[in-house]
Amino acid sequence: MELEFSGIDELIKEIDRIEGLTDDLKDKALIAGGDLLRDRMKEEVYAHGLRELTGEGRESLIRTDPKNHELFVGTQGGKKQPGFYLYMHEFGFYNVRARRFIAPRPFASIAYENSKDDILTAYVEEFRKGLGMS
């Protein structure tokens, strides 16, 4: 990207334009990264020891809409929501009947760690599109 200015007024105007775009661009970049992470988590949910019976776990993974420049990827939460048990498998749990701790079988943290570079690439692509650099 090349910026050419003949005066300070043009520089200030260009900076104001870029600052105005960044709030919308942040949200678009978050959505792109969140969609990528959600899809990767859906691919990984049954790849690390969980058995697929109904597919409810995969379908319960969602991405929220950006609010205050942050969004969340995961299940909706609450014990009556579909996929509530994924939290227990991610972090482990104490089984009262078996009287022992059941070891975690993480999938979300694995998907996140393996997708960090791709999420950052998605962010960069959205910023490039928004700033007209691609």
Side-chain angles (χ1 to χ4, degrees), residues 2-133:
E2 293 183 31
L3 299 174
E4 295 181 22
F5 302 101
S6 60
I8 192 74
D9 292 333
E10 288 182 33
L11 175 62
I12 291 171
K13 189 163 71 171
E14 188 65 22
I15 290 172
D16 288 340
R17 183 186 72 83
I18 290 172
E19 286 178 353
L21 290 174
T22 56
D23 287 341
D24 292 335
L25 284 176
K26 284 179 190 177
D27 289 343
K28 287 180 182 179
L30 284 172
I31 289 171
D35 287 342
L36 184 113
L37 180 59
R38 182 198 61 216
D39 295 342
R40 297 274 173 90
M41 285 173 65
K42 284 184 175 189
E43 291 171 8
E44 294 283 329
V45 71
Y46 298 117
H48 300 282
L50 293 177
R51 289 183 302 152
E52 181 176 7
L53 298 176
T54 63
E56 186 178 83
R58 179 181 293 124
E59 298 307 314
S60 69
L61 295 169
I62 60 165
R63 173 198 48 85
T64 63
D65 291 328
K67 184 177 181 181
N68 297 328
H69 305 300
E70 60 183 26
L71 60 78
F72 299 96
V73 176
T75 61
Q76 287 183 333
K79 64 181 180 181
K80 296 190 182 215
Q81 294 295 327
F84 71 94
Y85 53 87
L86 293 177
Y87 177 84
M88 293 182 282
H89 287 288
E90 181 73 20
F91 298 105
F93 60 99
Y94 183 80
N95 188 325
V96 176
R97 289 184 185 167
R99 295 184 182 158
R100 68 183 180 95
F101 182 76
I102 305 299
R105 294 179 179 169
F107 71 95
S109 56
I110 292 171
Y112 174 72
E113 289 296 326
N114 291 337
S115 302
K116 279 182 181 177
D117 291 337
D118 295 332
I119 291 170
L120 290 174
T121 302
Y123 287 171
V124 169
E125 288 302 316
E126 283 298 320
F127 281 117
R128 283 185 179 161
K129 284 183 206 172
L131 295 174
M133 295 171 56

